[in-house]
């Protein structure tokens, strides 16, 4: 297929509502996302990295359709995307999101089986009689034992919960997985396992990943290309190798230095 899978062009999200007169010397309120453009190729992992508050989640939510945007466009397979309520079902299915906190994003009262079946009930992709087999396959895909199907989130570890979240996102066979700080709440060793899983799933299912993280160490393990965000803007967008070895922007260098300091502090 030609052309990128996802194209974000001049995206603007502004949460400040009222325009009031600024006091002398006061800076105008910043837009959460201020003219972000990026593209994601088929079967690529594109990371957005930047410190807290830089606008990463707002970009992710716009792509998934949870956030209205004021200006700019988001195209998927060349089709203009609006918010979720105005997307055709087929498009909703194709873009799925994995959230940061695996526990709070899963309903504590439901078993894993019920959590996944709920997805299949609202988007009837799998006929009821095929669901048990499909669930077993899905759990196997994310490296969970079949017995997990009848447990609730409280009976699972953080890593297992995140595998369930990934299974839920995969249940509709999306082409694009948006992972917003998907490993940030996990211990380093569990992080590595989930990153490995995402890489394997990407290869096996031909997925593309929009991988969002404030953690350059994590991004380095998974990204093909990296967009560095700061204060609502992308300051650098390049191959991961370039970003990590020859960062062009001063801010990227600062982030790298800070990440190195942190890594050193662990020893
Ligand atoms: N729903 C909202 N209402 C008002 N401001 C918001 C909302 N969501 C995010 N913001 C603001 O937008 C900016 C970017 O936030 P966010 O996209 O969450 O950044 P990041 O994910 O990089 O930490 C921040 O200043 C944040 O306070
Ligand atoms: Mg965020």
């Amino acid at each position: 297929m030609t052309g990128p899978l996802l194209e974000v062009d001049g995206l603007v999200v502004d949460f400040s509502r009222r325009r009031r007169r600024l006091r002398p010397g006061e800076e105008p309120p910043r837009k959460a996302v201020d003219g972000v453009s990026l593209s994601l190729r088929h079967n690529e992992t594109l990371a957005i990295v930047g410190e807290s508050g830089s606008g990463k989640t707002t970009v992710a939510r716009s792509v998934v359709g949870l956030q209205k945007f004021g200006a700019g466009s988001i195209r998927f397979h060349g089709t203009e995307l609006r918010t979720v309520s105005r997307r055709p079902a087929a498009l909703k299915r194709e873009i799925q999101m994995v959230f940061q906190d695996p526990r709070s994003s899963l309903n504590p009262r439901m078993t894993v089986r019920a959590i996944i079946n709920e997805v299949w009930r609202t988007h009837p992709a799998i006929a009821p009689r095929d669901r048990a087999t499909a669930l077993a396959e899905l759990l196997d895909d994310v490296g969970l034992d079949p017995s997990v199907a009848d447990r609730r989130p409280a009976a699972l570890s953080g890593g297992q919960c995140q595998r369930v979240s990934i299974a839920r996102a995969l249940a509709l066979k999306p082409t694009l997985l948006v992972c917003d700080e998907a490993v940030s709440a996990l211990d380093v060793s569990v992080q590595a396992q989930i990153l490995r899983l995402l890489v394997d799933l990407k290869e096996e299912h031909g997925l593309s990943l929009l991988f969002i993280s404030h953690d350059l160490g994590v991004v380095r393990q998974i990204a093909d290309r990296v967009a560095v965000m700061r204060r609502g803007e992308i300051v650098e967008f390049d191959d991961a190798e370039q970003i990590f070895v020859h960062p062009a922007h001063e801010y990227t260098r600062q982030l790298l230095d800070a990440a190195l300091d942190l890594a050193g502090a662990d020893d």
Side-chain angles (χ1 to χ4, degrees):
M1 198 171 300
T2 55
L5 178 68
L6 179 79
E7 283 175 281
V8 176
D9 194 16
L11 185 73
V12 175
V13 179
D14 188 358
F15 291 110
S16 54
R17 304 225 163 73
R18 271 185 304 141
R19 303 263 167 251
R20 60 175 176 78
R21 190 192 298 256
L22 299 175
R23 288 189 299 272
E26 188 188 3
E27 284 191 29
R30 268 193 287 112
K31 298 183 175 80
V33 175
D34 195 359
V36 161
S37 300
L38 46 85
S39 65
L40 176 65
R41 300 171 184 144
H42 291 268
N43 204 213
E44 175 181 54
T45 300
L46 169 65
I48 303 180
V49 71
E51 62 197 352
S52 175
S54 55
K56 306 181 298 295
T57 292
T58 307
V59 172
R61 288 171 51 82
S62 303
V63 169
V64 179
L66 299 172
Q67 176 64 56
K68 273 193 196 160
F69 45 96
S73 71
I74 302 178
R75 283 187 299 276
F76 186 74
H77 285 307
T79 303
E80 198 80 32
L81 295 183
R82 298 282 160 213
T83 49
V84 150
S85 57
R86 298 173 60 192
R87 289 183 187 183
L91 262 183
K92 281 188 218 174
R93 185 186 68 71
E94 291 220 50
I95 307 178
Q96 295 294 323
M97 189 156 177
V98 179
F99 299 90
Q100 168 164 4
D101 187 342
R103 243 175 246 290
S104 68
S105 69
L106 300 173
N107 185 334
R109 270 177 290 220
M110 288 166 81
T111 62
V112 170
R113 182 188 308 282
I115 288 169
I116 304 288
N117 275 336
E118 192 181 40
V119 178
W120 286 330
R121 220 180 27 246
T122 46
H123 298 255
I126 312 269
R129 65 187 164 87
D130 298 328
R131 285 181 190 167
T133 317
L135 178 64
E137 275 174 25
L138 203 50
L139 292 179
D140 185 57
D141 271 352
V142 298
L144 286 172
D145 190 81
S147 64
V148 166
D150 297 304
R151 300 216 199 121
R152 291 185 173 74
L156 304 174
S157 70
Q160 285 175 317
C161 283
Q162 200 53 306
R163 286 175 196 266
V164 173
S165 299
I166 294 169
R168 179 176 59 181
L170 291 178
L172 296 172
K173 303 196 184 306
T175 42
L176 172 60
L177 208 54
V178 178
C179 304
D180 187 10
E181 305 280 5
V183 300
S184 304
L186 305 172
D187 294 342
V188 173
S189 64
V190 183
Q191 272 188 350
Q193 291 165 18
I194 299 292
L195 291 172
R196 183 76 251 159
L197 172 67
L198 288 171
V199 171
D200 290 346
L201 290 169
K202 168 179 173 268
E203 296 312 321
E204 281 163 30
H205 298 268
L207 289 172
S208 303
L209 301 181
L210 182 59
F211 186 89
I212 288 164
S213 177
H214 69 281
D215 186 338
L216 273 170
V218 162
V219 164
R220 187 164 201 169
Q221 295 177 58
I222 195 166
D224 300 313
R225 286 194 298 163
V226 179
V228 180
M229 263 190 98
R230 183 193 191 203
R231 297 184 177 179
E233 296 177 20
I234 289 184
V235 297
E236 189 166 356
F237 180 27
D238 212 331
D239 290 339
E241 177 74 9
Q242 280 296 320
I243 296 281
F244 287 105
V245 183
H246 304 291
H249 197 281
E250 175 56 28
Y251 179 66
T252 311
R253 285 193 284 269
Q254 284 172 17
L255 276 184
L256 283 168
D257 287 346
L260 279 176
D261 284 350
L262 272 181
D266 283 346
D267 296 338

